[in-house]
Amino acid sequence: MIKLIILIVAAIIFLILFIVILIFTFIKKTKSLFILAVLSFLISFSIGAYALYLGLQKGKEKTVLITKSAVEKVFPTFDSDIPDTDANKKNFRNFVKVEITPDVKNIYCFDDAIGQDADYMFSFNCNSETATKIINYHSLMKDSVKGNNPEGLQHDFFWWDKRKINELESYSWDSTNDGKSFHKMFWYDHEKQKAYYFEYDL
């Protein structure tokens, strides 16, 4: 920003210098003054053009950042192929709603929020204490049926083990609001300290 201001000030100074020299050129009518007037104009024009270019670049960068930030709020990035990215950690906090303690790692996530219905999948390692915090925070109730997995609504990833999920105790929460149903599901593998969180609406 400071560089841009300096360039604008320099362009104005050379423009004023050009006008002053041009006036003296008409009065004195000398070749050297005419050359100085042309040079000062070219310098002023060049600095002004560069300042305009720099200003447009800064404006473009700012616009891209604002647009990216706005899009990120509506359509957050989910990295389904790489664990523990900043985006995945941010989504973990926004959806799973517990602190990322040292035991929480290998966070993978995926979203399918295009269209009327949306679903969000999270897989991660954590200890049983963190698993209990998740269950309590979301008011999840233990299901009477093991697995209780709506796998037809889920997507296939190497980190989402549907077969294993079907063998685990499931915890769920359901709500209906304005004719739309919201669901949260959670499974925890005590042996491997592996958790699966699934949130969707219909």
Side-chain angles (χ1 to χ4, degrees):
M1 189 66 182
I2 295 173
K3 184 180 179 181
L4 185 60
I5 293 170
I6 292 171
L7 287 170
I8 292 170
V9 170
I12 292 171
I13 291 172
F14 276 99
L15 182 61
I16 294 170
L17 185 63
F18 161 71
I19 293 170
V20 171
I21 295 173
L22 189 64
I23 292 169
F24 275 100
T25 301
F26 282 116
I27 296 171
K28 300 288 185 178
K29 295 181 180 178
T30 60
K31 189 177 180 180
S32 58
L33 283 175
F34 176 75
I35 292 170
L36 280 175
V38 172
L39 282 173
S40 59
F41 174 77
L42 289 174
I43 292 170
S44 175
F45 178 80
S46 299
I47 294 173
Y50 181 65
L52 178 62
Y53 167 78
L54 197 63
L56 289 173
Q57 285 295 107
K58 292 286 184 184
K60 182 181 175 183
E61 289 172 9
K62 188 71 174 177
T63 302
V64 168
L65 283 174
I66 292 171
T67 303
K68 188 176 179 181
S69 177
V71 170
E72 183 65 25
K73 287 179 181 178
V74 181
F75 302 106
T77 301
F78 286 75
D79 295 320
S80 59
D81 298 324
I82 306 170
D84 299 327
T85 62
D86 289 339
N88 285 2
K89 289 178 180 179
K90 181 179 178 181
N91 290 322
F92 181 92
R93 293 185 185 98
N94 290 339
F95 285 87
V96 185
K97 303 287 188 181
V98 296
E99 183 185 353
I100 299 179
T101 46
D103 61 297
V104 179
K105 54 190 175 182
N106 297 321
I107 303 170
Y108 286 94
C109 60
F110 173 80
D111 79 312
D112 184 0
I114 299 173
Q116 187 176 0
D117 304 322
D119 62 79
Y120 306 90
M121 300 166 60
F122 289 84
S123 169
F124 51 93
N125 289 101
C126 69
N127 60 28
S128 57
E129 184 181 346
T130 298
T132 301
K133 285 180 183 177
I134 294 168
I135 292 167
N136 292 337
Y137 181 89
H138 294 279
S139 302
L140 301 171
M141 301 298 293
K142 187 176 180 180
D143 295 318
S144 58
V145 181
K146 267 194 174 183
N148 193 26
N149 184 20
E151 57 183 278
L153 301 174
Q154 300 161 1
H155 305 266
D156 295 313
F157 294 101
F158 68 90
W159 45 265
W160 190 266
D161 191 344
K162 293 180 181 178
R163 183 192 62 78
K164 185 62 180 178
I165 289 172
N166 286 328
E167 299 172 358
L168 300 173
E169 295 286 353
S170 66
Y171 298 82
S172 63
W173 173 91
D174 305 285
S175 174
T176 301
N177 188 19
D178 294 330
K180 198 170 184 69
S181 57
F182 298 89
H183 308 273
K184 298 177 183 180
M185 304 199 73
F186 181 74
W187 302 267
Y188 184 67
D189 184 344
H190 288 271
E191 184 183 344
K192 294 184 178 179
Q193 293 196 321
K194 183 82 170 178
Y196 303 89
Y197 178 83
F198 183 51
E199 185 175 314
Y200 66 100
D201 58 65
L202 292 172

